[in-house]
Amino acid sequence: MATIYDVAKESGFSVATVSKVFNRYSGVNDKTREKVLITARRIGYVPIQSAQTLVTKKSWLIGVIFKEDLNQGLIHPHFGGVLETFKLEMEKSGYDIIFINRNFSNQNMRYLEHCRYRNVDGALLASSTLPQEEALAIHHAGIKCVSVEKNYPKIPTVISTNHEGTMNALKYLYSLGHRRIGILNSPIGSLAGYERFEAYKMFLKKYNLPYDPNIVSICDTYTDEEGLIKAKELVNKSKNNLPTAIFAGYDKIAIILQSYLISIGISIPNDISIIGFDDIEIASISTPTLTTLRQYRAEIGRKAADLMKRQLNNEKIDTSEIFRIPTELIIRESTCRARIIERI
Amino acid sequence: MATIYDVAKESGFSVATVSKVFNRYSGVNDKTREKVLITARRIGYVPIQSAQTLVTKKSWLIGVIFKEDLNQGLIHPHFGGVLETFKLEMEKSGYDIIFINRNFSNQNMRYLEHCRYRNVDGALLASSTLPQEEALAIHHAGIKCVSVEKNYPKIPTVISTNHEGTMNALKYLYSLGHRRIGILNSPIGSLAGYERFEAYKMFLKKYNLPYDPNIVSICDTYTDEEGLIKAKELVNKSKNNLPTAIFAGYDKIAIILQSYLISIGISIPNDISIIGFDDIEIASISTPTLTTLRQYRAEIGRKAADLMKRQLNNEKIDTSEIFRIPTELIIRESTCRARIIERI
DNA sequence: TTGAAAGCGCTAACAC
DNA sequence: GTGTTAGCGCTTTCAA
């Protein structure tokens, strides 16, 4: 492979000059620059990143810490969508994306080790299981962080308006006449799950509706199996007095719930209305199609990339509040007006 | 950050010895090894990959060239699935995954340039639009390649048994009494599309059925819009004599076709049976659920990783034939016995 | 505007 | 078994 020395020799200038050309320094004669560039192209010179990194300490690499219960990884409909736009935006500025994992060694702090091993300039935290301690260690190592999942002190977070979204969903159900609204929620260990559940409780208070544990089920993990178990649990607990509507913490679980209810002879939405959260592709294809809160994944990814770039340019970022991306209520077939009988 | 010199100084040995310890050389005293390791852990030493790469020319990085019409990127249900397992398997052996893109400069051979810039040891070719010329340039640069999309000379390819799968699908339809079977195919520029279409034609010949261009539509791209256009075209061309069954080149387009047919009052499967290819998640959720050929994406990813690792270990790989992963016919609701009336 | 040279952190002869 | 040392390909003072 051609090195900077080859370009220097061939063009008749020194390596210092060639380096300056490639790093867009000002103090280079235009003719010199042109000659160097032509020579470089002719002999197929490409600067080697590892050599650059060694001296500049800048790798142009962004680590992605991306791991959840499901091990769905890249195909995860929500995070995969966020990541796609984040990646595109970072690539525009010359950064490449690399996945950080825990295979690196057998100690703790493995994510941090992996980050240092690869010298990443920044890290996108998109793991529902990354402990605060590890996140902060990465931050303190001088690696610029942005989170799109949990909220860590001093690290900017980009996430949907879970509270408002959930409120809107519940108000919509209320407007349809529903007064007995259950919840099948995502794990409250995740920020999204926590905020949605808090919104649920606040809604009940605000509208003077009783909190009935018999129509509340909360998952501990995001697996399909657990989703089904909790869906059944919810039905069993309330079988003498089923809710007329159920808010499901995310679309996947809404679909699981819907299928289960249909399988035991409950009609959706006539007997029970269902509302999800995410608006993943399946939501518009399932039967009935799912009323849900759309998350703007591309917007989240774009905002995260923006915050990342600004930090990489050493701008100060306000980390005192979470950056929110609005959600939108998408009304489809899984919700309808509560039957009058319910209100007697 | 602690360097190898710090470890050397602190432990009382030389950098050469420390290096040997970290590279698992044999000629190191056990006690020495232990002391070095303890010191390294104590001061938080992590070897810097860019320094290692500079001297060893090995980056432990695998580039993924992953791009298709749809720009779905990571969320692409087929390639995303393949990539996920590939990534996991490569990570087990110490390799990290990096995405190679064309933003690198403004010339041709941009993928190759990006590969060299990052010094990748191998490249997974998963792009439906990567020209042979560029693929071979990467191969000739000494970068180990595996393809999971197109077939390039001298580069091992892992792909599903498209021919047998399509044959099985069509035979199944035949066994249900269908004699007028249409096809709404993926672009034949892709290997998958080509092989499936060839299998279709061979099936007709084998079963002595006429080839009728009125029930054949082939997409030029993988976009949803094009899918719908070609679906309509197929129906329009054959509206006086509709097929009783249609083989769709991939699940997404099968769903689009199905929705369209239902929207114009055609009943699935009673009027027309539909069969897809992929078995993506939606296939089991759509209404009716989709009969389809399951592709074992994890198997493809695993086999690709295996071939990659073997090349990285300088094993010779037989590239004379394509490595095939079997498909499986998954029978669901979108297919049924042809009505007798059709056979009169 | 250009060039000489030191050094980034590591590996791998080679010498001891 | 262990240590010395010359690079790997690049950037960046500093001097010319």
Side-chain angles (χ1 to χ4, degrees):
Chain A
M1 292 300 86
T3 73
I4 200 169
Y5 283 93
D6 299 321
V7 180
K9 197 185 296 171
E10 289 282 325
S11 65
F13 295 95
S14 71
V15 293
T17 301
V18 176
S19 176
K20 283 169 190 162
V21 168
F22 273 87
N23 291 289
R24 302 161 198 282
Y25 269 64
S26 45
V28 179
N29 187 303
D30 281 353
K31 298 219 162 174
T32 305
R33 173 187 311 279
E34 199 180 336
K35 274 186 200 163
V36 166
L37 251 18
I38 288 173
T39 310
R41 178 158 310 184
R42 179 163 59 77
I43 67 176
Y45 168 69
V46 176
I48 300 295
Q49 178 47 232
S50 48
Q52 297 182 155
T53 298
L54 192 54
V55 19
T56 61
K57 305 283 176 254
K58 170 132 188 163
S59 64
W60 295 91
L61 234 35
I62 304 295
V64 173
I65 298 178
F66 183 46
K67 172 108 185 156
E68 13 64 60
D69 289 345
L70 287 109
N71 253 328
Q72 277 193 104
L74 308 173
I75 330 168
H76 190 293
H78 177 66
F79 286 123
V82 170
L83 183 55
E84 180 63 21
T85 307
F86 177 82
K87 170 175 170 290
L88 251 33
E89 289 296 324
M90 293 310 298
E91 285 174 348
K92 279 186 196 163
S93 300
Y95 291 91
D96 286 325
I97 299 302
I98 190 169
F99 289 101
I100 300 298
N101 55 56
R102 307 190 64 122
N103 302 329
F104 184 65
S105 83
N106 41 21
Q107 309 167 242
N108 280 343
M109 290 300 143
R110 287 176 286 187
Y111 285 125
L112 173 58
E113 282 188 12
H114 197 163
C115 284
R116 298 217 296 208
Y117 171 68
R118 289 293 179 187
N119 237 298
V120 300
D121 300 329
L124 180 72
L125 312 183
S127 165
S128 57
T129 53
L130 177 69
Q132 171 159 321
E133 178 198 354
E134 284 208 63
L136 290 182
I138 293 168
H139 171 71
H140 287 135
I143 295 164
K144 314 298 185 186
C145 295
V146 175
S147 171
V148 289
E149 162 62 31
K150 301 175 93 167
N151 187 30
Y152 307 99
K154 299 287 169 205
I155 295 175
T157 301
V158 186
I159 197 168
S160 292
T161 54
N162 288 309
H163 190 94
E164 293 80 345
T166 305
M167 272 296 188
N168 284 342
L170 295 169
K171 284 182 195 169
Y172 173 66
L173 292 173
Y174 191 92
S175 76
L176 290 175
H178 295 280
R179 295 296 179 270
R180 185 165 169 76
I181 302 172
I183 183 169
L184 175 60
N185 204 35
S186 29
I188 51 174
S190 80
L191 184 59
Y194 173 78
E195 292 184 336
R196 293 171 200 176
F197 189 51
E198 289 300 308
Y200 173 75
K201 289 187 289 190
M202 186 168 297
F203 164 80
L204 294 182
K205 211 165 275 174
K206 205 163 163 186
Y207 284 79
N208 255 316
L209 298 171
Y211 177 90
D212 179 355
N214 286 331
I215 55 173
V216 172
S217 266
I218 297 177
C219 296
D220 296 319
T221 70
Y222 279 95
T223 60
D224 292 358
E225 293 69 32
E226 163 117 22
L228 181 56
I229 289 168
K230 296 292 181 180
K232 289 181 178 174
E233 180 189 299
L234 179 60
V235 171
N236 281 334
K237 286 196 297 189
S238 62
K239 60 169 170 276
N240 299 320
N241 188 12
L242 284 171
T244 67
I246 299 175
F247 170 85
Y250 56 105
D251 282 355
K252 192 78 184 295
I253 209 180
I255 302 273
I256 289 170
L257 170 66
Q258 185 166 281
S259 301
Y260 172 64
L261 290 174
I262 291 173
S263 78
I264 60 172
I266 293 174
S267 163
I268 313 294
N270 296 326
D271 297 333
I272 297 182
S273 284
I274 292 180
I275 208 160
F277 208 113
D278 276 347
D279 195 28
I280 60 178
E281 195 172 22
I282 309 179
S284 59
I285 291 172
S286 69
T287 306
T289 57
L290 191 67
T291 295
T292 188
L293 290 151
R294 177 177 295 167
Q295 294 205 66
Y296 286 92
R297 292 174 273 282
E299 288 308 316
I300 296 175
R302 195 168 292 122
K303 181 69 185 172
D306 173 57
L307 289 168
M308 180 62 82
K309 289 183 199 177
R310 282 163 56 189
Q311 289 187 83
L312 290 166
N313 295 333
N314 291 315
E315 276 182 47
K316 283 265 169 286
I317 297 289
D318 178 15
T319 56
S320 63
E321 53 180 317
I322 296 177
F323 295 87
R324 296 288 180 175
I325 306 297
T327 52
E328 187 185 349
L329 181 64
I330 306 292
I331 298 173
R332 297 207 182 86
E333 302 165 353
S334 67
T335 45
C336 73
R337 186 151 275 287
R339 287 186 302 193
I340 303 301
I341 190 169
E342 308 292 348
R343 309 187 54 185
I344 294 173
Chain B
M1 292 302 88
T3 73
I4 200 170
Y5 284 93
D6 299 320
V7 181
K9 197 183 297 170
E10 289 283 326
S11 64
F13 294 95
S14 71
V15 293
T17 300
V18 176
S19 176
K20 282 170 190 161
V21 168
F22 274 86
N23 291 288
R24 301 160 200 284
Y25 268 64
S26 46
V28 180
N29 187 303
D30 281 352
K31 298 218 163 176
T32 304
R33 172 186 313 278
E34 200 179 335
K35 274 186 199 162
V36 166
L37 252 17
I38 288 173
T39 309
R41 178 158 309 183
R42 180 163 59 76
I43 66 177
Y45 168 70
V46 176
I48 301 294
Q49 177 48 230
S50 47
Q52 296 183 156
T53 298
L54 193 55
V55 18
T56 61
K57 305 284 177 256
K58 171 132 187 164
S59 64
W60 295 92
L61 232 37
I62 304 295
V64 173
I65 298 178
F66 183 46
K67 171 111 183 154
E68 14 63 62
D69 290 346
L70 289 109
N71 253 327
Q72 276 193 103
L74 308 172
I75 330 167
H76 189 295
H78 177 65
F79 287 122
V82 170
L83 183 55
E84 180 63 20
T85 308
F86 177 80
K87 169 175 170 290
L88 251 34
E89 289 296 324
M90 294 310 298
E91 284 175 349
K92 278 186 198 164
S93 299
Y95 291 91
D96 285 325
I97 299 302
I98 190 169
F99 288 102
I100 300 299
N101 54 55
R102 307 191 64 122
N103 302 328
F104 184 66
S105 83
N106 41 22
Q107 308 167 243
N108 279 345
M109 289 301 143
R110 288 175 285 187
Y111 284 126
L112 174 57
E113 281 188 13
H114 198 164
C115 285
R116 298 217 295 208
Y117 171 68
R118 288 293 179 189
N119 238 300
V120 299
D121 300 330
L124 180 72
L125 312 182
S127 166
S128 57
T129 53
L130 177 70
Q132 172 158 321
E133 178 197 353
E134 284 208 63
L136 290 182
I138 294 168
H139 171 70
H140 286 134
I143 295 164
K144 315 298 186 187
C145 294
V146 175
S147 171
V148 290
E149 162 63 31
K150 300 175 93 168
N151 186 29
Y152 307 97
K154 300 286 168 206
I155 295 175
T157 301
V158 186
I159 198 169
S160 292
T161 54
N162 289 308
H163 191 94
E164 293 79 346
T166 306
M167 273 296 189
N168 283 342
L170 296 169
K171 283 183 195 168
Y172 173 65
L173 292 173
Y174 192 92
S175 76
L176 290 175
H178 295 281
R179 295 297 179 269
R180 185 165 170 75
I181 303 173
I183 183 169
L184 174 61
N185 204 35
S186 30
I188 50 174
S190 81
L191 184 59
Y194 173 79
E195 293 184 335
R196 293 172 200 176
F197 189 50
E198 290 300 307
Y200 173 76
K201 289 187 290 190
M202 187 168 296
F203 163 79
L204 294 181
K205 211 167 271 172
K206 205 163 163 187
Y207 284 78
N208 254 316
L209 298 172
Y211 177 90
D212 180 354
N214 286 330
I215 55 174
V216 172
S217 267
I218 297 177
C219 295
D220 296 320
T221 70
Y222 279 95
T223 61
D224 292 358
E225 293 69 31
E226 163 117 21
L228 182 56
I229 289 169
K230 297 291 181 181
K232 289 182 179 174
E233 180 190 299
L234 179 60
V235 171
N236 282 333
K237 285 196 297 189
S238 63
K239 61 170 168 277
N240 298 321
N241 189 11
L242 285 171
T244 67
I246 299 175
F247 170 85
Y250 56 105
D251 282 355
K252 192 79 184 293
I253 209 179
I255 303 274
I256 290 170
L257 171 66
Q258 186 166 281
S259 303
Y260 172 64
L261 291 175
I262 292 172
S263 77
I264 60 171
I266 293 174
S267 162
I268 313 293
N270 296 327
D271 297 332
I272 297 182
S273 284
I274 291 180
I275 207 159
F277 207 114
D278 277 347
D279 195 28
I280 61 178
E281 195 171 23
I282 309 180
S284 59
I285 290 172
S286 69
T287 307
T289 57
L290 191 67
T291 295
T292 188
L293 290 151
R294 177 176 295 166
Q295 293 204 67
Y296 286 92
R297 291 174 274 281
E299 288 308 315
I300 295 175
R302 195 169 293 122
K303 182 67 186 175
D306 174 57
L307 289 168
M308 180 62 82
K309 289 183 199 175
R310 282 162 57 189
Q311 289 187 83
L312 290 166
N313 294 334
N314 291 315
E315 274 183 49
K316 283 265 170 286
I317 297 290
D318 179 14
T319 55
S320 63
E321 52 179 317
I322 296 175
F323 294 86
R324 297 287 180 175
I325 305 297
T327 52
E328 186 186 350
L329 180 64
I330 306 293
I331 297 173
R332 297 206 182 87
E333 302 165 353
S334 67
T335 44
C336 73
R337 184 151 276 286
R339 289 186 302 192
I340 302 301
I341 190 170
E342 308 292 348
R343 309 188 54 186
I344 292 173

